């Protein structure tokens, strides 16, 4: 009973955070709402006894990917008015897709609530079962190469984000490292001979 109540509470928070991601006017606030959505999704994973997926969701997405997104959003010059115009243009299609997703989730929830057997349900886990150990064994044996490829893709994304933020912008003061290193003493210091004052 308590698990069901917690599920509905966190599901409502997740829906509110998802709406905040889409409807927020400030891109930084939208990214922060996405962080809240990831945290709430991690809690739902914990309620489903998938501790490894919940912790990975917090560590990878919130701790690494979302921090990168937040820094990129804060560094880039984003035209908010143009983004809002694009949102209103694709709003009907987004509403249709959202309605279909809500209908599918509601169908599954109500069918399970009425007690119908959907088939293919997960069997109960044994007492000493560890999903972290099982996922680790599969990840580092059968899917070792895709795991390394995913790491390379994330590295490319980080390099691309840094390259986007390092572009030249008008009216932006940039440090000239080569000019600072090649500076000479004569360019910085001027020695002036001052005649001593004669006291009366």
């Amino acid at each position: 009973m308590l698990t069901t109540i917690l599920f509905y509470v966190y599901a409502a928070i997740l829906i509110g955070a998802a709406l905040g991601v889409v409807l927020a006017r400030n891109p930084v606030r939208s990214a922060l709402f996405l962080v809240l959505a990831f945290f709430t999704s991690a809690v739902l994973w914990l309620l489903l006894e998938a501790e490894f997926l919940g912790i990975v969701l917090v560590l990878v997405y919130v701790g690494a990917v979302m921090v990168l997104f937040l820094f990129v959003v804060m560094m880039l010059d984003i035209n908010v008015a143009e983004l809002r115009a694009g949102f209103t243009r694709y709003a009907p299609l987004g509403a249709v897709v959202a309605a279909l997703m809500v209908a599918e989730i509601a169908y599954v929830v109500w069918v399970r609530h009425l007690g119908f057997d959907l088939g293919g349900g997960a069997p109960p886990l044994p007492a000493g079962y560890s999903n972290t150990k099982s996922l680790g064994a599969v990840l580092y044996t059968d899917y070792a190469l895709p795991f390394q490829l995913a790491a390379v893709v994330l590295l490319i994304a980080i390099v691309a984000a840094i390259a986007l933020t390092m572009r030249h912008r008008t009216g932006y003061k940039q440090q000239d490292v080569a000019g600072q290193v090649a500076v000479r003493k004569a360019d910085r210091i001027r020695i002036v001979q001052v005649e001593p004052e004669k006291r009366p």
Side-chain angles (χ1 to χ4, degrees):
M1 181 65 181
L2 180 60
T3 305
T4 305
I5 295 174
L6 289 176
F7 172 79
Y8 283 113
V9 168
Y10 286 110
I13 296 174
L14 179 58
I15 292 173
L19 291 175
V21 171
V22 179
L23 300 176
R25 295 182 180 271
N26 192 342
V28 177
R29 292 181 181 177
S30 179
L32 292 176
F33 274 119
L34 189 56
V35 171
L36 177 61
F38 282 147
F39 266 113
T40 312
S41 301
V43 173
L44 293 179
W45 280 116
L46 292 177
L47 290 177
L48 293 174
E49 297 182 359
E51 298 86 2
F52 179 77
L53 294 179
I55 296 301
V56 166
L57 186 61
V58 172
L59 292 179
V60 175
Y61 281 92
V62 178
V65 177
M66 276 313 303
V67 173
L68 178 63
F69 284 173
L70 189 58
F71 279 122
V72 169
V73 166
M74 292 172 64
M75 288 180 174
L76 292 179
D77 296 329
I78 297 177
N79 191 353
V80 181
E82 185 178 351
L83 290 179
R84 298 295 295 178
F87 171 74
T88 55
R89 183 173 55 186
Y90 295 107
L93 179 60
V96 171
V97 173
L100 288 175
M101 293 176 63
V102 170
E104 291 176 359
I105 294 173
Y107 174 75
V108 172
V109 170
W110 283 109
V111 167
R112 285 187 179 275
H113 181 69
L114 294 175
F116 292 106
D117 187 12
L118 297 178
L125 300 175
Y129 179 78
S130 174
N131 57 2
T132 304
K133 183 178 179 181
S134 301
L135 284 174
V138 173
L139 184 64
Y140 290 107
T141 53
D142 298 335
Y143 298 98
L145 182 60
F147 181 72
Q148 296 297 327
L149 290 177
V152 172
V153 170
L154 286 177
L155 178 62
I156 294 173
I158 293 172
V159 173
I162 295 174
L164 285 175
T165 57
M166 294 298 291
R167 73 183 191 277
H168 295 284
R169 290 176 283 185
T170 58
Y172 177 73
K173 294 182 179 180
Q174 191 172 4
Q175 186 178 7
D176 188 7
V177 180
Q180 291 177 351
V181 173
V183 73
R184 295 177 302 172
K185 180 177 67 174
D187 299 332
R188 296 295 184 183
I189 301 175
R190 184 165 59 96
I191 300 176
V192 179
Q193 296 291 336
V194 179
E195 296 294 333
E197 296 182 359
K198 295 181 180 180
R199 294 184 180 180

